[in-house]
Amino acid sequence: MRKIKKLLVANRGEIALRVMRTAKEMGIKTVAIYSEADRNALHVRFADEAVCVGGPKSNESYLRGDVIIAVCKQLQVDAIHPGYGFLSENAGFAKAVEEAGLIFIGPSPEAIELMGSKLAAKAAVAKYNIPMVPGTEYAITDVEEAKSIASNIGFPILIKASAGGGGKGMRVVESVEVFEEQMQLAVSEATSAFGDGSVFIEKYIGSPRHIEIQVLGDTHGNIVHLFERECSIQRRHQKVIEEAPSAVLTPELRDEMGRCAVNVAKACNYVGAGTVEFLVDENLNFYFLEMNTRLQVEHPVTEQITGLDLVREQIMVAQGNPLAFAQEDLTINGHALELRVYAEDPANNFLPDIGRLETYKRPQGLGVRVDDGFEQGMDIPIYYDPMIAKLVTFGKDRQEAIEKMLRAIDEYQITGIETTLPFGKFVLQHEAFVSGNFDTKFIERYFTPDVLKPEATEAEESIAVALAALLMQKQKPTIADSATTQSISTSNWRKNRT
């Protein structure tokens, strides 16, 4: 066992703060790194020590593994926690950390590399008979061969990049006629995003749910699962709302998926916190998708229903401690929801809306948790992911968690930029979500920008009509300007009211 006395968090924003808070509770000194754009960030002020590692762009700062390791040596740091994103799933960085004599709080470089390739991951877990979507077990480069395989599988099919995620290098192909064009686009995008144009083919499941299982392993061979998270509310193949547990899993299916997730972890001798992702079809058949070898953005919902601090567990495992509990000790308590509050405009195709937080007041109260890295008056940097905060609610059941989330959304005050808060409220009030009868096509099926536009009440309509009539009497419009008068609308009146 090796005691960690000083920890560097190789990340920024809310996850850096999240890790540092647990470290502080454990009596561990913390070191923050920051870019020139984050000089005044909250995680910089919270840490015991902080070092600027470069310019505002990620490749000038947060992705400079060599600089980060040099800082660790200079400040006599014992361990590095990578958070998520940036270098968290970079096997080369994990190996360099170990070679420098430091503790990497995460899985081994070998596990990261193995699970970083979707094809290699599928091959590794095959011996455990884990259900997988029909498709190729190797990278395809020959278009004609790929076209033949796709025809045999049956359209529609999915072309996917082997080396990455987040929807990049992914194409749904409906027919053989457009296959070649779509494959070339997928290869090109994968090469640009990951430096690896390898793609593979699998059967396209049209209306799946995205359900993942949290796993935790130690260096003594113990691996457990911490139940599931429902992550089907997505835009651009990226999650926006998550919850635990899922509204559709039976206890039997939960146990079966949990066992499969543990076997996936065993296939790569996994150590630390990781997530095994599955697709679940309309008949509740599930298929292995991939494994994320890091802490997930949505880990708070698992913490809420299990009572565990996953960062604390990561640190304990990294120090060589065995897990303090077995699978039979773990139970689900209550229900948790998470809304990712992004600086995005849902009414404009969820495009980033970078700017200053002119007003920023967090919701409070029993069952409400806000993980963030901002405060009023701060700017949202253009260089990084536009997530402002993770809004999490917890209740005795799903209905109570939803009620608390709706109250928290109303209480959350953010001005100066558009956010995903109104979208979250729309989802949580939609019949499909409330009933649990939804999948990854939720936005495509139910959401249009118009649903976020405020509607005037009957009283407001009457006032607007009266105002318009009064205006017409006072101005006595000529024929030339009558068109302008007629353009007055109740929606514009409500939008511009003070």
Side-chain angles (χ1 to χ4, degrees):
M1 292 177 62
R2 183 176 169 187
K3 178 70 174 176
I4 297 173
K5 297 180 180 179
K6 185 182 284 191
L7 170 67
L8 181 144
V9 183
N11 218 295
R12 63 179 297 277
E14 58 85 17
I15 186 56
L17 276 168
R18 162 73 191 90
V19 173
M20 289 176 189
R21 288 190 173 109
T22 289
K24 188 170 186 177
E25 291 171 6
M26 298 176 72
I28 299 172
K29 296 292 185 181
T30 57
V31 177
I33 60 170
Y34 61 94
S35 71
E36 292 172 0
D38 279 338
R39 188 171 297 276
N40 297 315
L42 295 187
H43 77 280
V44 176
R45 288 180 260 163
F46 186 88
D48 295 298
E49 298 174 87
V51 179
C52 181
V53 290
K57 295 180 180 178
S58 298
N59 60 3
E60 299 170 344
S61 51
Y62 296 108
L63 294 176
R64 289 293 307 273
D66 55 337
V67 175
I68 293 169
I69 291 174
V71 170
C72 289
K73 292 180 178 179
Q74 176 188 346
L75 299 181
Q76 297 182 319
V77 167
D78 302 306
I80 293 178
H81 194 300
Y84 42 69
F86 294 134
L87 295 169
S88 62
E89 292 182 284
N90 187 308
F93 177 66
K95 185 176 181 180
V97 170
E98 291 185 353
E99 290 176 346
L102 303 167
I103 297 173
F104 181 76
I105 300 182
S108 68
E110 293 76 20
I112 294 174
E113 186 172 16
L114 179 62
M115 290 296 155
S117 167
K118 293 181 177 64
L119 289 173
K122 286 187 174 185
V125 305
K127 63 182 178 181
Y128 290 96
N129 296 318
I130 293 170
M132 284 184 274
V133 179
T136 61
E137 298 177 358
Y138 54 91
I140 298 288
T141 56
D142 183 88
V143 175
E144 291 304 318
E145 179 189 5
K147 191 182 297 185
S148 175
I149 293 172
S151 297
N152 289 333
I153 293 174
F155 289 94
I157 60 95
L158 192 63
I159 300 175
K160 298 176 70 175
S162 175
K168 296 181 176 65
M170 184 184 296
R171 287 289 187 279
V172 177
V173 185
E174 300 286 349
S175 66
V176 69
E177 287 77 18
V178 297
F179 181 87
E180 183 171 347
E181 176 189 3
Q182 293 300 309
M183 180 170 173
Q184 289 172 349
L185 288 171
V187 170
S188 175
E189 191 172 282
T191 301
S192 175
F194 313 115
D196 182 350
S198 300
V199 298
F200 64 101
I201 298 169
E202 63 184 25
K203 179 68 178 174
Y204 177 64
I205 300 176
S207 300
R209 297 179 80 108
H210 188 149
I211 295 179
E212 60 191 28
I213 306 289
Q214 176 73 61
V215 295
L216 193 62
D218 62 25
T219 56
H220 303 270
N222 303 305
I223 301 176
V224 299
H225 72 82
L226 307 180
F227 313 110
E228 82 277 5
R229 295 186 289 255
E230 170 77 66
C231 306
S232 297
I233 306 296
Q234 305 178 0
R235 51 96 178 92
R236 296 192 294 275
H237 300 286
Q238 294 178 326
K239 307 159 189 172
V240 185
I241 296 176
E242 302 98 351
E243 63 179 309
S246 169
V248 297
L249 261 59
T250 63
E252 295 76 20
L253 184 56
R254 177 174 296 117
D255 289 344
E256 187 179 357
M257 293 180 70
R259 284 193 297 271
C260 284
V262 167
N263 283 334
V264 170
K266 287 180 178 178
C268 62
N269 299 313
Y270 199 82
V271 172
T275 298
V276 181
E277 304 201 1
F278 296 94
L279 292 180
V280 180
D281 67 19
E282 60 272 19
N283 298 314
L284 296 184
N285 299 306
F286 67 91
Y287 306 94
F288 171 67
L289 182 62
E290 62 182 342
M291 183 177 192
N292 290 313
T293 53
R294 54 173 167 79
L295 197 66
Q296 293 279 88
V297 175
E298 58 272 20
H299 76 272
V301 294
T302 296
E303 294 182 326
Q304 296 298 125
I305 66 165
T306 61
L308 295 173
D309 180 335
L310 288 183
V311 174
R312 178 184 288 270
E313 296 303 326
Q314 283 185 298
I315 294 173
M316 294 295 286
V317 165
Q319 292 182 139
N321 295 282
L323 296 178
F325 43 83
Q327 190 66 60
E328 55 269 24
D329 299 321
L330 298 168
T331 57
I332 296 174
N333 176 36
H335 199 98
L337 290 166
E338 175 180 292
L339 168 63
R340 301 190 190 188
V341 184
Y342 284 105
E344 293 180 347
D345 186 357
N348 190 21
N349 198 31
F350 292 92
L351 291 178
D353 190 41
I354 305 302
R356 176 162 295 180
L357 295 171
E358 295 174 359
T359 305
Y360 188 74
K361 296 182 180 179
R362 303 170 185 86
Q364 300 180 41
L366 185 65
V368 176
R369 166 179 170 177
V370 180
D371 285 15
D372 64 7
F374 292 95
E375 62 186 5
Q376 188 165 294
M378 292 181 66
D379 292 322
I380 307 295
I382 195 172
Y383 309 100
Y384 317 116
D385 185 274
M387 188 169 70
I388 301 170
K390 300 182 304 193
L391 176 58
V392 183
T393 58
F394 175 75
K396 66 178 183 296
D397 54 30
R398 190 169 188 262
Q399 180 60 35
E400 185 173 284
I402 290 174
E403 291 168 354
K404 286 181 180 291
M405 180 63 80
L406 289 169
R407 187 267 295 172
I409 290 172
D410 285 340
E411 191 177 330
Y412 215 145
Q413 296 181 44
I414 301 178
T415 64
I417 55 171
E418 298 295 332
T419 74
T420 50
L421 285 171
F423 170 76
K425 188 170 184 177
F426 165 78
V427 174
L428 268 70
Q429 292 177 319
H430 197 282
E431 189 277 333
F433 185 85
V434 173
S435 68
N437 184 26
F438 62 94
D439 54 42
T440 56
K441 298 285 187 180
F442 181 93
I443 289 179
E444 183 179 320
R445 287 197 180 99
Y446 305 119
F447 180 74
T448 62
D450 291 342
V451 302
L452 298 184
K453 291 181 180 179
E455 295 181 2
T457 65
E458 185 175 339
E460 289 171 337
E461 293 276 5
S462 299
I463 295 171
V465 171
L467 284 172
L470 181 62
L471 185 61
M472 290 175 67
Q473 288 179 359
K474 286 185 176 182
Q475 292 185 343
K476 297 180 180 180
T478 63
I479 295 176
D481 61 24
S482 62
T484 303
T485 302
Q486 292 172 3
S487 69
I488 297 173
S489 68
T490 56
S491 59
N492 283 338
W493 171 83
R494 190 174 195 273
K495 179 180 178 181
N496 296 322
R497 66 186 175 129
T498 57

